[in-house]
Amino acid sequence: MSRDAMYIREAIELAREAVSDGNTPFGSLLVVGESVLKRSKNTTVTENDITAHPELKLARWAARELDASELADCTMYTSTEPCEMCATAIYYAGLNRVVYSVSGESLSNGRGEAKSGTSCEELIERKGGSTEVDGPVLETEGLRVHEEFYGAG
């Protein structure tokens, strides 16, 4: 199993834990080198905070706690492609790389919604950022947690 797949599976498991806690299915982790520095789950419902996305919480933490060399080697693994709010935070935090499982387009399609947002990669590029964005990785596995939560589209 590739390193990316291993960490994506952990992000998907964090999404499942978020659901068990009463939240929507999103989970993320930050990796520098070979070490997982921090994990986060969606807590928008339990914290009654619409901004409590795991990607935003991790980007804020990274910007506060990591030095330039750590940010240059930092990868965020996330169960679902970061939304525009989270992608902007990732850009401002200066994370080196993002790897996601489920694309925003696939999530919208699965929920029967029109995709109206901008992709994470496109948003970062528009801002002049250099964060590498890779995905989808193990999208079928990642979609399962959304299908279980939202129902099959």
Side-chain angles (χ1 to χ4, degrees):
M1 174 185 338
S2 76
R3 173 185 160 122
D4 285 351
M6 179 182 73
Y7 289 128
I8 283 295
R9 283 198 171 115
E10 186 170 345
I12 292 167
E13 184 55 35
L14 288 165
R16 288 187 190 286
E17 290 175 18
V19 171
S20 294
D21 294 343
N23 294 286
T24 53
F26 301 92
S28 306
L29 56 143
L30 289 178
V31 176
V32 173
E34 299 296 320
S35 300
V36 176
L37 297 186
K38 192 140 181 91
R39 294 168 178 85
S40 186
K41 301 176 279 190
N42 188 310
T43 55
T44 56
V45 175
T46 55
E47 291 183 7
N48 194 29
D49 179 355
I50 61 169
T51 69
H53 296 196
E55 303 91 344
L56 179 62
K57 293 188 289 183
L58 290 177
R60 291 179 66 207
W61 180 86
R64 281 192 314 267
E65 302 296 329
L66 301 182
D67 64 31
S69 67
E70 291 169 315
L71 288 168
D73 192 29
C74 186
T75 299
M76 177 184 289
Y77 290 92
T78 187
S79 63
T80 307
E81 182 178 8
C83 70
E84 291 95 333
M85 173 182 71
C86 295
T88 301
I90 289 164
Y91 162 76
Y92 282 116
L95 301 183
N96 180 58
R97 184 171 180 242
V98 174
V99 181
Y100 63 86
S101 176
V102 178
S103 72
E105 183 175 358
S106 292
L107 179 61
S108 294
N109 290 341
R111 292 171 60 183
E113 302 171 348
K115 172 78 167 114
S116 60
T118 304
S119 74
C120 178
E121 183 173 30
E122 184 180 350
L123 191 142
I124 290 169
E125 285 176 0
R126 283 183 183 180
K127 297 189 88 42
S130 60
T131 301
E132 178 184 344
V133 180
D134 293 317
V137 173
L138 302 176
E139 190 170 44
T140 301
E141 288 183 39
L143 277 169
R144 275 192 212 111
V145 69
H146 290 288
E147 290 165 353
E148 291 163 6
F149 184 82
Y150 295 108

